[in-house]
Amino acid sequence: MQAILENLKSLGWRRLSVLGGTGLALVLAVFFGLSVITTPDYVSLYRDLNPADAARIVDSLEAAGIRSRTDTAGTAVSVPAEDMARARMELASLGLPNEGTPGWELFDEQSGLGMNSFMQRVNRMRAMEGELARSIQTIDGVEAARVHLVMPEREPFSRERPTPSASVIVRGSRQIGMKQAHAIRSLVASAVPDLAPAQVTVLSASGETILADDGEAGSEASLQSARAQIEDRLSQRITQILSARVGAGNARVTVSVDLTSERQVVREQTYDPDQRVVRSTETREETTQDQRAASGEVGVADDVPAALADAVPGTNSNSSNTNNEIVNYEIGGKQVETVREPGDVERMSVAVLINGIYNVQPDGSVEYEERGPDELERLQALVQSAMGFDEARGDSIEVVSLRFMDYSMDVGEPVARSFTQVLSENIGTILRGLFALGLVAAVLAFAVRPALSKLMAANGEVEGPKAGGLPAPDAAPALPGAKAPPGLPGQSNVTQLHAGQQGGAGAEQVFHSGTVLDPIPEGGEEMVSFASVQGGVQRGWINTVGELIEREPDDAIKVVKSWLAEGSAT
C-alpha cells in the first residue's frame, strides 16, 4: 500500500489531476452506458385514455410488478416491449381499460342489500346507456359514442303513459352518413322498451343534427335532419354516376340545399276569355198605345181608354213596340291553391371537382392533361339529371376539372424527418450499440489478444525476422551449463537470451530491465562447441553474455543460482 502511495506521489499533481479526471470520465461513461443499455424500449399499450382510466391502469401494472410510464397529458400508457403481452393479460383479468361507459358490470360487485329502488333504476339506466354506447362503437366509422336515455315514470292515477326518448352523440374517423345514423337509430329503438325510432336523435361531434324527430314540422332539428338526408343522398348519387366515368376517388361532390322554414299558402285564380259558354238568354217584347186630344182642345178625351178613343171625336191614337234580348255568358277560369310546408326544397347548389387525365408517355413518364370542354358539358348534363335540376327554382351547378393535389407534384415531396430528429429518436439504440462495440473491443484488446499471444508463444508461432531469423524462445538452445532457456520467473529483471541456430545468421535485440542492448553482430560466424549444446554456440552470444554479467553481476548470480536449483531438482 505504501508503495502505491509513493508511486502516486511521484507522478505529480498535474498527472494525478489528469488521471483522476480520466478515471471520473470513464466511470461516468460506464454508468451512463449501463443505464442506457439497461433501459428497456417502451411501446404504447393504450392511447386516448382519460386520466382516471390511465391512473387505474398504472396502479394495476405497478401492483403486478410491471414498469410503466405515461405521457405529459396522462392519456397514453407505455410499457417495456417484453412486458406487452403480460400487461394486456393482467389488465384484461381486471377488466381494464373500461370500454367507455360501464355497462351491466355495474351489478357484478353490488348486492341487493342496502339498494333502494331509485338506485336500482339509476344503475339500470346507466348500464343500458353503457351497453348501447359499446354497441354503437362497433359500427364501422364510429370511434366514440355517448347515449342519453330519458325513461320517465308514469305518474300515479295517470291515464297516459309517457314515451321514452334518446339522444346519441357519435364521433367518427370520417363524416357519419345517413346510413350509419339510421342504423344507430334502429339499434337504440330496438334495445329500449316502448321507444319509437322517431324519438331517437342522432348528433355528430361537430354539433350537426344528423337525425331528429320529424313530428314537429318546421323545427330546426327536423330541418337540419331533412337537409342532411337530401345532401347526403344527392352526393352519393352524383358521385356514383361520375365515378363510372372518371374513376373512383377522382370526383369530389358538394351539395348545398336550402329548405323553406315557413308554411306558405298560395291561391291563384285565372280567367280565359276564349272559353265562353251561354249560361242564360232573356227576351223581352213590349207594345204601347196612347190617345191624345187634338191640339187646342180641352176635354175628357185624354181620360178615355184607347179602345173607346175612336168613338170620341177630336182625339188622336199612337202605338209603339219594344223588343229586348239579354244573353248571359259563363267565362272559363282556373283557381289554384298551393300549400308549401316547411322543409320543401327552395334551392340547390352543386359543386363538382374532377381530376384530370394522367397519360403515360413512351419513356415511362406521366403527363397530366385537363379534361376537354365537351366532356365537362356531358358530365354536367349527367349531374343535372341526377340532381333534378330546376332552372326556375334557381338551382346552380358548376363542374370544374382541376388537378388534385398529390406529393408527386412540383410543390415538393412529403416533409421527411431531419437527421437531428432521427438521431434524437434513436439515441438510446445508438448508444447501446456503441457501448456494445466498445465492450467487445475492450474484451478483444485486453483479454483475447494477450491470450492469443501467450498461446502462440507456447506453440512456437512467434514470427521471427524474415531473413536469417532466430527460432522461437522455446526452440532456442540454452546457454552453457543450462538445460533450458534461462529465465527468472517472478523477478523484476528478467533476461531472455536466445541462441542462434547452427550456421544461421542474424541478430536479435536483447531486452533487459526495459533497456535495449545493442544487437548481436551478424559477422560472428565462429562457433564454440559445448558438450551440453548440440552444434555449438556463436561466439557473439558468449561475448554478449559476458558483457551482461559484467554490467549486472547481481542479476547474473541470481540467474546462475536458479539454473543450479533447476539442475539439482532434475
Side-chain angles (χ1 to χ4, degrees):
M1 187 66 180
Q2 186 66 26
I4 296 175
L5 294 177
E6 293 296 333
N7 291 333
L8 292 176
K9 290 180 180 180
S10 63
L11 294 177
W13 290 106
R14 180 177 297 176
R15 294 182 178 178
L16 286 176
S17 301
V18 175
L19 183 62
T22 305
L24 181 61
L26 289 176
V27 171
L28 293 178
V30 170
F31 275 104
F32 180 72
L34 290 176
S35 63
V36 172
I37 290 178
T38 56
T39 301
D41 291 331
Y42 281 85
V43 295
S44 177
L45 181 63
Y46 290 109
R47 293 182 178 274
D48 299 329
L49 299 170
N50 57 60
D53 291 341
R56 286 193 292 267
I57 290 175
V58 170
D59 294 340
S60 301
L61 293 176
E62 290 180 354
I66 301 175
R67 291 174 294 179
S68 63
R69 64 183 183 184
T70 60
D71 59 351
T72 56
T75 58
V77 179
S78 302
V79 296
E82 60 272 11
D83 296 334
M84 171 68 76
R86 189 162 64 94
R88 287 189 179 275
M89 289 189 294
E90 183 68 25
L91 294 176
S93 64
L94 299 176
L96 293 174
N98 292 330
E99 299 179 0
T101 308
W104 295 113
E105 62 269 16
L106 287 172
F107 298 95
D108 293 342
E109 299 180 358
Q110 295 181 0
S111 61
L113 298 177
M115 181 69 65
N116 54 26
S117 59
F118 175 76
M119 292 299 299
Q120 289 180 352
R121 287 194 301 269
V122 171
N123 287 340
R124 179 174 177 269
M125 184 177 298
R126 290 180 57 195
M128 293 179 64
E129 292 176 348
E131 293 294 335
L132 287 173
R134 293 179 183 178
S135 300
I136 293 172
Q137 291 176 8
T138 59
I139 299 177
D140 185 21
V142 179
E143 294 182 350
R146 287 182 61 87
V147 180
H148 301 278
L149 297 178
V150 178
M151 303 178 67
E153 296 183 3
R154 185 175 181 177
E155 297 293 336
F157 307 106
S158 177
R159 295 183 178 180
E160 297 180 357
R161 185 174 183 178
T163 58
S165 60
S167 300
V168 182
I169 302 176
V170 290
R171 175 170 57 86
S173 56
R174 57 180 183 270
Q175 184 179 3
I176 304 299
M178 298 303 301
K179 181 179 180 181
Q180 290 90 344
H182 282 289
I184 293 171
R185 168 180 280 187
S186 300
L187 173 65
V188 176
S190 301
V192 179
D194 300 331
L195 178 59
Q199 299 297 323
V200 180
T201 303
V202 182
L203 309 174
S204 65
S206 59
E208 179 184 0
T209 302
I210 304 175
L211 282 179
D213 184 12
D214 299 333
E216 184 181 354
S219 63
E220 184 66 23
S222 63
L223 291 178
Q224 289 186 6
S225 176
R227 180 165 50 248
Q229 292 183 23
I230 297 174
E231 292 177 351
D232 185 69
R233 184 176 66 254
L234 290 178
S235 298
Q236 293 181 1
R237 184 184 302 173
I238 297 173
T239 303
Q240 183 179 5
I241 195 172
L242 290 178
S243 299
R245 168 58 185 171
V246 302
N250 289 325
R252 301 290 186 270
V253 179
T254 301
V255 179
S256 177
V257 179
D258 296 335
L259 302 180
T260 58
S261 58
E262 298 179 354
R263 187 175 184 271
Q264 298 179 358
V265 179
V266 180
R267 294 184 176 88
E268 297 180 0
Q269 188 173 2
T270 58
Y271 298 95
D272 189 0
D274 296 334
Q275 297 179 357
R276 293 189 306 171
V277 178
V278 178
R279 184 178 183 183
S280 60
T281 302
E282 182 180 355
T283 303
R284 182 181 299 177
E285 183 177 356
E286 182 180 357
T287 302
T288 60
Q289 291 182 358
D290 58 354
Q291 184 176 3
R292 297 181 180 276
S295 59
E297 294 181 2
V298 178
V300 297
D302 294 333
D303 298 330
V304 175
L308 301 177
D310 295 337
V312 179
T315 59
N316 296 325
S317 62
N318 296 321
S319 63
S320 62
N321 296 325
T322 304
N323 296 325
N324 294 328
E325 185 178 4
I326 300 175
V327 180
N328 295 322
Y329 293 95
E330 187 71 26
I331 300 176
K334 181 174 64 175
Q335 185 176 0
V336 179
E337 181 176 352
T338 304
V339 179
R340 301 183 63 183
E341 298 291 343
D344 289 347
V345 177
E346 186 174 13
R347 183 175 179 272
M348 287 193 299
S349 300
V350 179
V352 180
L353 179 62
I354 300 176
N355 197 8
I357 304 173
Y358 293 88
N359 299 320
V360 180
Q361 302 300 321
D363 57 353
S365 61
V366 179
E367 183 179 355
Y368 176 78
E369 179 184 357
E370 293 285 354
R371 298 184 183 271
D374 296 338
E375 184 178 3
L376 292 180
E377 291 180 1
R378 296 171 64 183
L379 294 177
Q380 183 172 352
L382 288 176
V383 174
Q384 290 179 356
S385 300
M387 64 176 286
F389 182 79
D390 188 359
E391 186 177 0
R393 190 173 52 189
D395 295 349
S396 63
I397 179 174
E398 189 72 22
V399 180
V400 180
S401 174
L402 293 175
R403 184 177 183 178
F404 284 9
M405 179 64 66
D406 57 357
Y407 292 117
S408 62
M409 298 179 63
D410 296 335
V411 296
E413 296 295 330
V415 179
R417 294 180 300 175
S418 62
F419 176 76
T420 306
Q421 293 176 344
V422 176
L423 183 62
S424 61
E425 293 177 358
N426 301 277
I427 186 64
T429 305
I430 294 174
L431 290 177
R432 282 194 292 271
L434 293 177
F435 187 80
L437 291 177
L439 184 61
V440 171
V443 171
L444 292 176
F446 297 105
V448 178
R449 183 178 179 184
L452 291 177
S453 300
K454 291 181 180 179
L455 182 60
M456 294 174 64
N459 294 332
E461 296 177 0
V462 178
E463 184 181 359
K466 294 182 181 180
L470 297 176
D474 294 342
L479 291 176
K483 297 181 180 179
L488 293 176
Q491 300 292 333
S492 60
N493 297 329
V494 179
T495 305
Q496 296 285 345
L497 300 177
H498 303 286
Q501 294 180 349
Q502 183 178 358
E508 183 178 287
Q509 291 181 340
V510 181
F511 295 88
H512 178 69
S513 301
T515 303
V516 180
L517 301 178
D518 296 334
I520 301 174
E522 297 181 0
E525 292 86 359
E526 184 179 359
M527 305 296 294
V528 179
S529 300
F530 292 97
S532 59
V533 178
Q534 182 181 0
V537 180
Q538 295 181 4
R539 185 174 295 277
W541 283 102
I542 298 176
N543 295 334
T544 300
V545 172
E547 293 176 1
L548 288 176
I549 293 173
E550 291 178 359
R551 293 179 184 178
E552 301 289 343
D554 295 336
D555 293 340
I557 292 173
K558 294 179 181 179
V559 172
V560 173
K561 287 182 179 180
S562 64
W563 289 349
L564 293 176
E566 291 178 359
S568 62
T570 56

